[in-house]
Amino acid sequence: QVQLVESGGGLVQAGGSLTLSCAASGSGFRFDAMAWYRQAPGKQRDLVATVSSDGTTNYVDSAKGRFTISRDNAKNTVSLQMNSLKPEDTAVYYCYTQTLSMRWGFSQQWWGQGTQVTVSS
């Protein structure tokens, strides 16, 4: 009932920039936390950045000072601006949200399909 669609991935040289976007759709849900995760080949999926409904943000140490997460509550979108990219940032990036059902009153977790980010050296 909730769909997350990512866009903006691609190939970029080290030191370059890239912006990822995620559009969330769904009726009867309150979108609470929204976040970006990433997963490199053979590695676990790790949290990159989170943003709450009031705009409070948190970042993994390796992303601090380089990445910026933001959201538009009116459009239910979340973006990740990535600057000074490094080869170790190469991964599939996934959009994530935790929602509250306004009818049934329970929380659920939703994932996007992922978008590939490749940083060349």
Side-chain angles (χ1 to χ4, degrees), residues 47-52 55-60 64 69:
L47 179 66
V48 178
T50 64
V51 58
S52 66
T56 302
T57 60
N58 286 285
Y59 301 89
V60 66
K64 291 179 180 177
I69 188 171

